Amino acid sequence: MDKKHLILFLTENANGLNLMAESLACAFGDENIDIISATMKPPKLNPIAVRVMDEAGFDISSIAQLTLLDIEPFMFDLIITLGDFDPACRPTLPGMPPHLHWELPDPRPDQDAEYIYSALKSSLDILQSNIRTLFSSGLLNALFVTRRNLELILDNLLDGVMAHTTTRRIFFFNKAAEEITGYPRSKVMGRDCHEVFPGRLCGGDCEFCENAINTGKKNVSL
């Protein structure tokens, strides 16, 4: 059986757009796709977004609100950023997932409540249209195939390739890396590379050793 695909809806502001998108996408009920969402800023439930979705027949008040730290261990197959999202702020996440951006009305929390309500209603209409198109067209499958082809290319390199997050959690380990190290990928995925390889394959001088693991960069080695 093929593995499930994982889609992330990501917003820069905690105004509820991500929760709205997650709720709508989950309503399609594709058993082969899991949906989660997160914000770049500390999450805070927007009561106006709750109202807009309640009126549309969706409850977003119980959806888990996640931050970048929460989603770091996940391997995404697609990232969709929403609203006024600064491309320079988009984090580099594990798995080299393709990225889409959907322009949406993205009201600020200090704006008039009725304006926010109207803007989020417009966002709801756009989200419903975009999500319907995404799931009913061949675009989603094409994006998944593209990502899988990239994985196959890396997996068949003669050189060993290991990639990890900024906290050294391994998210990619190709066949050559298995042969070189003698470790099957099932034993290393998701683990701290220093725990798996106490001798430190990098020689101890990479940017993620000791106090340098919070530099915000990613390491690919072997």
PDB file of all heavy atoms in Angstrom, residues 29-58:
ATOM      1  N   GLY A  29     -12.051  14.398   2.545  1.00  0.00           N
ATOM      2  CA  GLY A  29     -12.007  13.019   3.018  1.00  0.00           C
ATOM      3  C   GLY A  29     -11.198  12.056   2.175  1.00  0.00           C
ATOM      4  O   GLY A  29     -11.544  10.881   2.084  1.00  0.00           O
ATOM      5  N   ASP A  30     -10.106  12.512   1.558  1.00  0.00           N
ATOM      6  CA  ASP A  30      -9.242  11.614   0.796  1.00  0.00           C
ATOM      7  C   ASP A  30      -8.426  10.773   1.779  1.00  0.00           C
ATOM      8  O   ASP A  30      -7.601  11.304   2.535  1.00  0.00           O
ATOM      9  CB  ASP A  30      -8.312  12.420  -0.123  1.00  0.00           C
ATOM     10  CG  ASP A  30      -7.576  11.544  -1.124  1.00  0.00           C
ATOM     11  OD1 ASP A  30      -7.131  10.449  -0.734  1.00  0.00           O
ATOM     12  OD2 ASP A  30      -7.438  11.945  -2.289  1.00  0.00           O
ATOM     13  N   GLU A  31      -8.638   9.474   1.773  1.00  0.00           N
ATOM     14  CA  GLU A  31      -7.988   8.594   2.759  1.00  0.00           C
ATOM     15  C   GLU A  31      -6.491   8.476   2.551  1.00  0.00           C
ATOM     16  O   GLU A  31      -5.766   7.996   3.437  1.00  0.00           O
ATOM     17  CB  GLU A  31      -8.621   7.205   2.717  1.00  0.00           C
ATOM     18  CG  GLU A  31      -8.468   6.485   1.393  1.00  0.00           C
ATOM     19  CD  GLU A  31      -9.129   5.123   1.383  1.00  0.00           C
ATOM     20  OE1 GLU A  31      -9.897   4.831   2.333  1.00  0.00           O
ATOM     21  OE2 GLU A  31      -8.881   4.361   0.439  1.00  0.00           O
ATOM     22  N   ASN A  32      -5.992   8.916   1.404  1.00  0.00           N
ATOM     23  CA  ASN A  32      -4.559   8.829   1.123  1.00  0.00           C
ATOM     24  C   ASN A  32      -3.817  10.128   1.427  1.00  0.00           C
ATOM     25  O   ASN A  32      -2.619  10.240   1.146  1.00  0.00           O
ATOM     26  CB  ASN A  32      -4.332   8.454  -0.340  1.00  0.00           C
ATOM     27  CG  ASN A  32      -4.839   7.056  -0.656  1.00  0.00           C
ATOM     28  OD1 ASN A  32      -4.601   6.120   0.104  1.00  0.00           O
ATOM     29  ND2 ASN A  32      -5.560   6.914  -1.758  1.00  0.00           N
ATOM     30  N   ILE A  33      -4.518  11.112   1.959  1.00  0.00           N
ATOM     31  CA  ILE A  33      -3.912  12.407   2.224  1.00  0.00           C
ATOM     32  C   ILE A  33      -4.240  12.864   3.639  1.00  0.00           C
ATOM     33  O   ILE A  33      -5.389  12.835   4.063  1.00  0.00           O
ATOM     34  CB  ILE A  33      -4.404  13.468   1.216  1.00  0.00           C
ATOM     35  CG1 ILE A  33      -3.976  13.092  -0.207  1.00  0.00           C
ATOM     36  CG2 ILE A  33      -3.850  14.857   1.569  1.00  0.00           C
ATOM     37  CD1 ILE A  33      -4.508  14.035  -1.268  1.00  0.00           C
ATOM     38  N   ASP A  34      -3.210  13.274   4.367  1.00  0.00           N
ATOM     39  CA  ASP A  34      -3.386  13.886   5.678  1.00  0.00           C
ATOM     40  C   ASP A  34      -3.130  15.387   5.552  1.00  0.00           C
ATOM     41  O   ASP A  34      -2.263  15.824   4.783  1.00  0.00           O
ATOM     42  CB  ASP A  34      -2.419  13.294   6.706  1.00  0.00           C
ATOM     43  CG  ASP A  34      -2.852  11.913   7.176  1.00  0.00           C
ATOM     44  OD1 ASP A  34      -4.065  11.631   7.143  1.00  0.00           O
ATOM     45  OD2 ASP A  34      -1.974  11.117   7.572  1.00  0.00           O
ATOM     46  N   ILE A  35      -3.873  16.164   6.313  1.00  0.00           N
ATOM     47  CA  ILE A  35      -3.787  17.618   6.254  1.00  0.00           C
ATOM     48  C   ILE A  35      -3.439  18.165   7.631  1.00  0.00           C
ATOM     49  O   ILE A  35      -4.045  17.773   8.634  1.00  0.00           O
ATOM     50  CB  ILE A  35      -5.127  18.252   5.815  1.00  0.00           C
ATOM     51  CG1 ILE A  35      -5.655  17.599   4.537  1.00  0.00           C
ATOM     52  CG2 ILE A  35      -4.977  19.760   5.654  1.00  0.00           C
ATOM     53  CD1 ILE A  35      -4.875  17.915   3.295  1.00  0.00           C
ATOM     54  N   ILE A  36      -2.460  19.071   7.699  1.00  0.00           N
ATOM     55  CA  ILE A  36      -2.211  19.816   8.925  1.00  0.00           C
ATOM     56  C   ILE A  36      -1.931  21.266   8.547  1.00  0.00           C
ATOM     57  O   ILE A  36      -1.684  21.594   7.379  1.00  0.00           O
ATOM     58  CB  ILE A  36      -1.050  19.247   9.773  1.00  0.00           C
ATOM     59  CG1 ILE A  36       0.271  19.320   9.013  1.00  0.00           C
ATOM     60  CG2 ILE A  36      -1.333  17.834  10.219  1.00  0.00           C
ATOM     61  CD1 ILE A  36       1.449  18.903   9.877  1.00  0.00           C
ATOM     62  N   SER A  37      -1.972  22.152   9.548  1.00  0.00           N
ATOM     63  CA  SER A  37      -1.697  23.556   9.289  1.00  0.00           C
ATOM     64  C   SER A  37      -0.883  24.134  10.435  1.00  0.00           C
ATOM     65  O   SER A  37      -0.826  23.561  11.535  1.00  0.00           O
ATOM     66  CB  SER A  37      -3.002  24.346   9.120  1.00  0.00           C
ATOM     67  OG  SER A  37      -3.728  24.382  10.335  1.00  0.00           O
ATOM     68  N   ALA A  38      -0.254  25.286  10.165  1.00  0.00           N
ATOM     69  CA  ALA A  38       0.567  25.928  11.185  1.00  0.00           C
ATOM     70  C   ALA A  38       0.703  27.412  10.868  1.00  0.00           C
ATOM     71  O   ALA A  38       0.372  27.866   9.773  1.00  0.00           O
ATOM     72  CB  ALA A  38       1.951  25.275  11.246  1.00  0.00           C
ATOM     73  N   THR A  39       1.188  28.157  11.860  1.00  0.00           N
ATOM     74  CA  THR A  39       1.454  29.582  11.677  1.00  0.00           C
ATOM     75  C   THR A  39       2.916  29.877  11.996  1.00  0.00           C
ATOM     76  O   THR A  39       3.542  29.185  12.796  1.00  0.00           O
ATOM     77  CB  THR A  39       0.570  30.451  12.592  1.00  0.00           C
ATOM     78  OG1 THR A  39       0.905  30.192  13.955  1.00  0.00           O
ATOM     79  CG2 THR A  39      -0.899  30.134  12.366  1.00  0.00           C
ATOM     80  N   MET A  40       3.428  30.932  11.371  1.00  0.00           N
ATOM     81  CA  MET A  40       4.795  31.367  11.649  1.00  0.00           C
ATOM     82  C   MET A  40       4.869  32.073  13.001  1.00  0.00           C
ATOM     83  O   MET A  40       5.918  32.106  13.632  1.00  0.00           O
ATOM     84  CB  MET A  40       5.271  32.307  10.550  1.00  0.00           C
ATOM     85  CG  MET A  40       5.351  31.670   9.163  1.00  0.00           C
ATOM     86  SD  MET A  40       6.760  30.573   9.009  1.00  0.00           S
ATOM     87  CE  MET A  40       8.106  31.755   8.985  1.00  0.00           C
ATOM     88  N   LYS A  41       3.745  32.686  13.427  1.00  0.00           N
ATOM     89  CA  LYS A  41       3.701  33.389  14.696  1.00  0.00           C
ATOM     90  C   LYS A  41       2.967  32.525  15.724  1.00  0.00           C
ATOM     91  O   LYS A  41       2.249  31.601  15.359  1.00  0.00           O
ATOM     92  CB  LYS A  41       3.009  34.739  14.522  1.00  0.00           C
ATOM     93  CG  LYS A  41       3.783  35.695  13.625  1.00  0.00           C
ATOM     94  CD  LYS A  41       3.072  37.021  13.478  1.00  0.00           C
ATOM     95  CE  LYS A  41       3.880  37.967  12.585  1.00  0.00           C
ATOM     96  NZ  LYS A  41       3.183  39.265  12.397  1.00  0.00           N
ATOM     97  N   PRO A  42       3.118  32.834  17.010  1.00  0.00           N
ATOM     98  CA  PRO A  42       2.403  32.051  18.033  1.00  0.00           C
ATOM     99  C   PRO A  42       0.908  31.998  17.732  1.00  0.00           C
ATOM    100  O   PRO A  42       0.292  33.036  17.476  1.00  0.00           O
ATOM    101  CB  PRO A  42       2.687  32.831  19.322  1.00  0.00           C
ATOM    102  CG  PRO A  42       3.992  33.504  19.062  1.00  0.00           C
ATOM    103  CD  PRO A  42       3.980  33.870  17.605  1.00  0.00           C
ATOM    104  N   PRO A  43       0.333  30.809  17.732  1.00  0.00           N
ATOM    105  CA  PRO A  43      -1.081  30.680  17.347  1.00  0.00           C
ATOM    106  C   PRO A  43      -2.031  31.262  18.376  1.00  0.00           C
ATOM    107  O   PRO A  43      -1.777  31.221  19.571  1.00  0.00           O
ATOM    108  CB  PRO A  43      -1.261  29.164  17.227  1.00  0.00           C
ATOM    109  CG  PRO A  43      -0.231  28.594  18.142  1.00  0.00           C
ATOM    110  CD  PRO A  43       0.942  29.525  18.072  1.00  0.00           C
ATOM    111  N   LYS A  44      -3.118  31.825  17.865  1.00  0.00           N
ATOM    112  CA  LYS A  44      -4.168  32.367  18.724  1.00  0.00           C
ATOM    113  C   LYS A  44      -5.473  32.249  17.961  1.00  0.00           C
ATOM    114  O   LYS A  44      -5.588  32.728  16.829  1.00  0.00           O
ATOM    115  CB  LYS A  44      -3.879  33.822  19.078  1.00  0.00           C
ATOM    116  CG  LYS A  44      -4.912  34.443  20.005  1.00  0.00           C
ATOM    117  CD  LYS A  44      -4.555  35.886  20.321  1.00  0.00           C
ATOM    118  CE  LYS A  44      -5.595  36.510  21.252  1.00  0.00           C
ATOM    119  NZ  LYS A  44      -5.260  37.928  21.575  1.00  0.00           N
ATOM    120  N   LEU A  45      -6.449  31.586  18.548  1.00  0.00           N
ATOM    121  CA  LEU A  45      -7.705  31.349  17.862  1.00  0.00           C
ATOM    122  C   LEU A  45      -8.427  32.664  17.585  1.00  0.00           C
ATOM    123  O   LEU A  45      -8.659  33.461  18.502  1.00  0.00           O
ATOM    124  CB  LEU A  45      -8.597  30.426  18.682  1.00  0.00           C
ATOM    125  CG  LEU A  45      -9.846  29.887  17.970  1.00  0.00           C
ATOM    126  CD1 LEU A  45      -9.464  29.066  16.748  1.00  0.00           C
ATOM    127  CD2 LEU A  45     -10.678  29.048  18.938  1.00  0.00           C
ATOM    128  N   ASN A  46      -8.764  32.891  16.328  1.00  0.00           N
ATOM    129  CA  ASN A  46      -9.449  34.112  15.909  1.00  0.00           C
ATOM    130  C   ASN A  46     -10.958  33.889  15.980  1.00  0.00           C
ATOM    131  O   ASN A  46     -11.503  33.109  15.202  1.00  0.00           O
ATOM    132  CB  ASN A  46      -9.017  34.466  14.483  1.00  0.00           C
ATOM    133  CG  ASN A  46      -9.654  35.742  13.978  1.00  0.00           C
ATOM    134  OD1 ASN A  46     -10.512  36.324  14.628  1.00  0.00           O
ATOM    135  ND2 ASN A  46      -9.220  36.187  12.808  1.00  0.00           N
ATOM    136  N   PRO A  47     -11.668  34.555  16.897  1.00  0.00           N
ATOM    137  CA  PRO A  47     -13.108  34.321  17.032  1.00  0.00           C
ATOM    138  C   PRO A  47     -13.900  34.679  15.774  1.00  0.00           C
ATOM    139  O   PRO A  47     -14.961  34.098  15.524  1.00  0.00           O
ATOM    140  CB  PRO A  47     -13.498  35.205  18.217  1.00  0.00           C
ATOM    141  CG  PRO A  47     -12.425  36.240  18.309  1.00  0.00           C
ATOM    142  CD  PRO A  47     -11.173  35.568  17.866  1.00  0.00           C
ATOM    143  N   ILE A  48     -13.395  35.622  14.995  1.00  0.00           N
ATOM    144  CA  ILE A  48     -14.112  35.993  13.772  1.00  0.00           C
ATOM    145  C   ILE A  48     -13.986  34.878  12.734  1.00  0.00           C
ATOM    146  O   ILE A  48     -14.943  34.558  12.028  1.00  0.00           O
ATOM    147  CB  ILE A  48     -13.585  37.328  13.212  1.00  0.00           C
ATOM    148  CG1 ILE A  48     -13.771  38.438  14.245  1.00  0.00           C
ATOM    149  CG2 ILE A  48     -14.305  37.685  11.909  1.00  0.00           C
ATOM    150  CD1 ILE A  48     -13.260  39.798  13.809  1.00  0.00           C
ATOM    151  N   ALA A  49     -12.818  34.243  12.666  1.00  0.00           N
ATOM    152  CA  ALA A  49     -12.646  33.100  11.761  1.00  0.00           C
ATOM    153  C   ALA A  49     -13.540  31.947  12.200  1.00  0.00           C
ATOM    154  O   ALA A  49     -14.123  31.243  11.365  1.00  0.00           O
ATOM    155  CB  ALA A  49     -11.182  32.663  11.732  1.00  0.00           C
ATOM    156  N   VAL A  50     -13.654  31.751  13.516  1.00  0.00           N
ATOM    157  CA  VAL A  50     -14.545  30.717  14.041  1.00  0.00           C
ATOM    158  C   VAL A  50     -15.982  30.996  13.612  1.00  0.00           C
ATOM    159  O   VAL A  50     -16.707  30.089  13.181  1.00  0.00           O
ATOM    160  CB  VAL A  50     -14.446  30.640  15.579  1.00  0.00           C
ATOM    161  CG1 VAL A  50     -15.505  29.682  16.133  1.00  0.00           C
ATOM    162  CG2 VAL A  50     -13.058  30.186  16.015  1.00  0.00           C
ATOM    163  N   ARG A  51     -16.396  32.253  13.706  1.00  0.00           N
ATOM    164  CA  ARG A  51     -17.750  32.648  13.307  1.00  0.00           C
ATOM    165  C   ARG A  51     -17.999  32.398  11.827  1.00  0.00           C
ATOM    166  O   ARG A  51     -19.036  31.836  11.442  1.00  0.00           O
ATOM    167  CB  ARG A  51     -17.958  34.121  13.647  1.00  0.00           C
ATOM    168  CG  ARG A  51     -19.270  34.723  13.138  1.00  0.00           C
ATOM    169  CD  ARG A  51     -19.276  36.219  13.360  1.00  0.00           C
ATOM    170  NE  ARG A  51     -20.349  36.870  12.621  1.00  0.00           N
ATOM    171  CZ  ARG A  51     -20.418  38.187  12.427  1.00  0.00           C
ATOM    172  NH1 ARG A  51     -19.459  38.983  12.920  1.00  0.00           N
ATOM    173  NH2 ARG A  51     -21.418  38.703  11.741  1.00  0.00           N
ATOM    174  N   VAL A  52     -17.041  32.792  11.001  1.00  0.00           N
ATOM    175  CA  VAL A  52     -17.180  32.609   9.549  1.00  0.00           C
ATOM    176  C   VAL A  52     -17.334  31.134   9.207  1.00  0.00           C
ATOM    177  O   VAL A  52     -18.199  30.750   8.405  1.00  0.00           O
ATOM    178  CB  VAL A  52     -15.962  33.213   8.812  1.00  0.00           C
ATOM    179  CG1 VAL A  52     -15.931  32.766   7.349  1.00  0.00           C
ATOM    180  CG2 VAL A  52     -15.990  34.731   8.895  1.00  0.00           C
ATOM    181  N   MET A  53     -16.513  30.294   9.824  1.00  0.00           N
ATOM    182  CA  MET A  53     -16.572  28.868   9.520  1.00  0.00           C
ATOM    183  C   MET A  53     -17.806  28.204  10.124  1.00  0.00           C
ATOM    184  O   MET A  53     -18.367  27.274   9.533  1.00  0.00           O
ATOM    185  CB  MET A  53     -15.297  28.182   9.997  1.00  0.00           C
ATOM    186  CG  MET A  53     -14.039  28.614   9.252  1.00  0.00           C
ATOM    187  SD  MET A  53     -14.147  28.333   7.463  1.00  0.00           S
ATOM    188  CE  MET A  53     -13.933  26.557   7.396  1.00  0.00           C
ATOM    189  N   ASP A  54     -18.237  28.662  11.293  1.00  0.00           N
ATOM    190  CA  ASP A  54     -19.480  28.139  11.888  1.00  0.00           C
ATOM    191  C   ASP A  54     -20.659  28.366  10.947  1.00  0.00           C
ATOM    192  O   ASP A  54     -21.511  27.487  10.755  1.00  0.00           O
ATOM    193  CB  ASP A  54     -19.759  28.810  13.231  1.00  0.00           C
ATOM    194  CG  ASP A  54     -18.982  28.186  14.378  1.00  0.00           C
ATOM    195  OD1 ASP A  54     -18.469  27.056  14.201  1.00  0.00           O
ATOM    196  OD2 ASP A  54     -18.886  28.815  15.447  1.00  0.00           O
ATOM    197  N   GLU A  55     -20.699  29.539  10.355  1.00  0.00           N
ATOM    198  CA  GLU A  55     -21.782  29.873   9.431  1.00  0.00           C
ATOM    199  C   GLU A  55     -21.746  29.001   8.175  1.00  0.00           C
ATOM    200  O   GLU A  55     -22.778  28.770   7.540  1.00  0.00           O
ATOM    201  CB  GLU A  55     -21.708  31.350   9.050  1.00  0.00           C
ATOM    202  CG  GLU A  55     -22.011  32.293  10.201  1.00  0.00           C
ATOM    203  CD  GLU A  55     -21.779  33.756   9.861  1.00  0.00           C
ATOM    204  OE1 GLU A  55     -21.259  34.038   8.754  1.00  0.00           O
ATOM    205  OE2 GLU A  55     -22.105  34.623  10.690  1.00  0.00           O
ATOM    206  N   ALA A  56     -20.546  28.529   7.843  1.00  0.00           N
ATOM    207  CA  ALA A  56     -20.393  27.661   6.668  1.00  0.00           C
ATOM    208  C   ALA A  56     -20.548  26.187   7.023  1.00  0.00           C
ATOM    209  O   ALA A  56     -20.461  25.323   6.140  1.00  0.00           O
ATOM    210  CB  ALA A  56     -19.033  27.901   6.021  1.00  0.00           C
ATOM    211  N   GLY A  57     -20.751  25.888   8.304  1.00  0.00           N
ATOM    212  CA  GLY A  57     -20.958  24.506   8.728  1.00  0.00           C
ATOM    213  C   GLY A  57     -19.699  23.776   9.139  1.00  0.00           C
ATOM    214  O   GLY A  57     -19.676  22.537   9.147  1.00  0.00           O
ATOM    215  N   PHE A  58     -18.638  24.514   9.505  1.00  0.00           N
ATOM    216  CA  PHE A  58     -17.370  23.897   9.908  1.00  0.00           C
ATOM    217  C   PHE A  58     -16.959  24.392  11.287  1.00  0.00           C
ATOM    218  O   PHE A  58     -17.105  25.573  11.603  1.00  0.00           O
ATOM    219  CB  PHE A  58     -16.258  24.245   8.907  1.00  0.00           C
ATOM    220  CG  PHE A  58     -16.495  23.724   7.513  1.00  0.00           C
ATOM    221  CD1 PHE A  58     -17.182  24.509   6.586  1.00  0.00           C
ATOM    222  CD2 PHE A  58     -16.045  22.474   7.130  1.00  0.00           C
ATOM    223  CE1 PHE A  58     -17.398  24.049   5.296  1.00  0.00           C
ATOM    224  CE2 PHE A  58     -16.261  22.007   5.848  1.00  0.00           C
ATOM    225  CZ  PHE A  58     -16.941  22.792   4.928  1.00  0.00           C
TER     226      PHE A  58
END
